[in-house]
């Protein structure tokens, strides 16, 4: 149920952190990551994933390791 950040391509610009309606993006030790359990793919908030739109490095992608988010 989530997007993920490709760490090797992330420039740590922090643009994504503040746009997430679920506060699912956090920085730790200079590394930005999405907490999968908090990411709703922006469903219910926006039509498009806000972090993806705002990432200048285009390094936020769907994490195929977890099921797609489905609104309850
Ligand atoms: S897709 Fe939406 S909910 Fe998920 S991390 Fe990005 S901004 Fe947050
Ligand atoms: S917007 Fe993109 S490049 Fe910037 S911190 Fe987030 S994932 Fe990294």
């Amino acid at each position: 149920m989530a997007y993920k950040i490709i760490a090797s391509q992330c420039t740590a610009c922090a643009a994504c952190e503040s746009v997430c309606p679920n506060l699912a993006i956090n920085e730790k030790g200079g590394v930005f990551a999405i907490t999968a359990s908090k990411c709703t793919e922006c469903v219910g908030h926006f039509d498009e994933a806000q972090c993806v739109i705002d990432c200048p490095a285009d390094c936020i992608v769907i994490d195929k390791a977890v099921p797609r988010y489905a609104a309850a």
Side-chain angles (χ1 to χ4, degrees):
M1 61 160 86
Y3 281 83
K4 67 176 178 181
I5 293 170
I6 302 172
S8 62
Q9 296 175 23
C10 174
T11 62
C13 72
C16 56
E17 188 176 19
S18 61
V19 299
C20 178
N22 298 314
L23 303 178
I25 305 174
N26 294 106
E27 174 265 328
K28 193 174 182 183
V31 177
F32 284 80
I34 293 171
T35 301
S37 60
K38 289 185 178 178
C39 174
T40 61
E41 301 173 16
C42 283
V43 171
H45 293 280
F46 301 99
D47 290 337
E48 294 181 81
Q50 298 298 292
C51 58
V52 174
I53 294 172
D54 279 35
C55 177
D58 292 331
C59 67
I60 303 178
V61 298
I62 279 287
D63 185 351
K64 295 194 173 81
V66 292
R68 296 300 300 268
Y69 178 77

